[in-house]
Amino acid sequence: MLFTLIAKQMKMLIRNKQPLIILLVMPLVLITILSNALGSIMDSGEEAAIQANLLIVDNSSWAQEEKAIKLFLEQEGVNGPPLEAMLIQFKSSDPVELLNGTILASDEMKKYIAVDYKKYVDLKVARQDENIDGILNIPTNFRLDYVKSAYFNNTNLPDLSLYLNQDNEIRASIIESVLTDWQTGYTQSAALLSADLSPQEIMSNVTSVEKLEQTLEANERKIPASIYYTVGMLVMFALYIPAFLAGFALQEVQWKVYDRILLAGVSPILYTLSIFFTGTFVAFIQQVMMLLFGMFVLGIEWISLEAMVVIIVSYSVFVGALSALMTTLQFRTKTEGIANVFNGLFITVFSFLGGSFFNIRDISETLGKIGDFTPNGATMSAILSIQKGQDLSVIWPFMLAIYVLVVVCVLLSIVFFPRRGVAE
């Protein structure tokens, strides 16, 4: 009997042109238009799309430490012109200046790392700033300790503290890659000097940019407009399915078809289950067709198909649960008001927050996080994360949000389902 009810719902969808146009034709048209119209704008900015924010906290400076360095050299027996020459050499070899003025100042590096240079920052406060991907803390007397270790064979190397924001592993890896090269350069200064090589010459030619590009190539795939808008329209138009199914169910009530179904011995729970499975099935078919359209028409190469199946099935289950809830609410109110409000307001708001129109995080990171708690936003973030080449584990928080909403929809369907029938 359940399959018979599902087949009946499918026939009603197929026989109505409006649902087919909205659920299948409109998203494909919009994907094509948006991909072509906005593709050049979106794709041209991909090089700067992954930019890490680095805060350098320098608790000292060469001007502050020069006196202490000079005193140390005098204690080592260096005086007169040799002392002045060494001070000039040490100043030109200042690792912090080399990092800021040479490595991070290059045009190639600026595409990947935005640097903010400050003194005496409260690290506890700075580490809580979600806009900062990494903090390099340079301690007091760093330059004096560096001179002692690099030029006078002191075994105590100056300590640096690097704090990375683990919420964004890719941006953190960008910072770590560059600073690892830099640190390797200054810790090997003594060996370079003994070989008559200047530290600044070696450290200014580090291969950070090359390694950085290799890291990005291995860890993150760039998302073109075709992928972004295919996913955006996929999650958006699936939300129209519950309103159509709930509208058909209300028509059956008004036409007394629902009463005849009950007289035939079909329980209301079984009828609601048929709506749930129909919504799930239609959403799955709709999403598969849109992904195939992207593959064969737009030339998209979808990666990690196993993860994609998990995400699509989960979102389809949510659409089915929402279909059951909206059917229940329309049975309760005996009007199409619920579906009209949902189509006119909620889908627009959810699509905006979920990023179907554009990346909401470009406006506000807070709105982006709110969008991740919407079902379409969670699904879109999960798919885009997978298509960037990230591990399967990244999708589980998004899947948890979706299934929490599934449980909420099911429970509300049970609570609000009318116990005394829905006859006019």
Side-chain angles (χ1 to χ4, degrees), residues 170-342:
I170 294 176
R171 291 193 180 113
S173 68
I174 291 175
I175 294 174
E176 186 176 24
S177 175
V178 173
L179 294 186
T180 297
D181 273 358
W182 170 72
Q183 188 176 27
T184 301
Y186 87 73
T187 53
Q188 294 176 345
S189 294
L192 296 175
L193 287 169
S194 63
D196 294 327
L197 295 173
S198 64
Q200 58 267 41
E201 179 180 353
I202 301 299
M203 291 174 66
S204 64
N205 293 318
V206 294
T207 57
S208 296
V209 173
E210 180 181 351
K211 290 183 178 180
L212 197 53
E213 292 173 344
Q214 292 172 354
T215 300
L216 291 174
E217 183 71 22
N219 288 283
E220 180 160 307
R221 177 195 189 196
K222 294 179 180 178
I223 299 294
S226 56
I227 291 181
Y228 186 89
Y229 285 110
T230 298
V231 178
M233 296 302 104
L234 179 149
V235 297
M236 174 180 171
F237 279 89
L239 294 176
Y240 286 96
I241 296 173
F244 282 119
L245 294 179
F248 293 151
L250 187 60
Q251 285 180 1
E252 290 184 331
V253 172
Q254 295 170 346
W255 296 342
K256 308 301 181 182
V257 175
Y258 179 71
D259 291 337
R260 291 195 292 269
I261 291 175
L262 296 183
L263 290 173
V266 177
S267 68
I269 294 178
L270 188 62
Y271 182 85
T272 307
L273 278 175
S274 72
I275 299 293
F276 169 81
F277 286 113
T278 302
T280 301
F281 179 73
V282 172
F284 181 78
I285 295 299
Q286 180 198 43
Q287 293 174 84
V288 170
M289 291 181 65
M290 293 176 67
L291 293 176
L292 291 175
F293 176 84
M295 180 184 298
F296 293 111
V297 178
L298 302 179
I300 297 173
E301 179 185 357
W302 301 109
I303 61 176
S304 189
L305 294 182
E306 300 85 354
M308 291 290 287
V309 170
V310 172
I311 298 169
I312 290 172
V313 169
S314 300
Y315 190 52
S316 299
V317 170
F318 166 77
V319 172
L322 184 60
S323 300
L325 175 59
M326 289 192 64
T327 299
T328 296
L329 293 176
Q330 294 212 144
F331 278 4
R332 189 86 177 186
T333 60
K334 303 176 185 177
T335 67
E336 295 182 355
I338 298 295
N340 293 335
V341 171
F342 185 81

Side-chain angles (χ1 to χ4, degrees), residues 417-423:
F417 197 89
R419 298 292 186 269
R420 299 182 180 180
V422 290

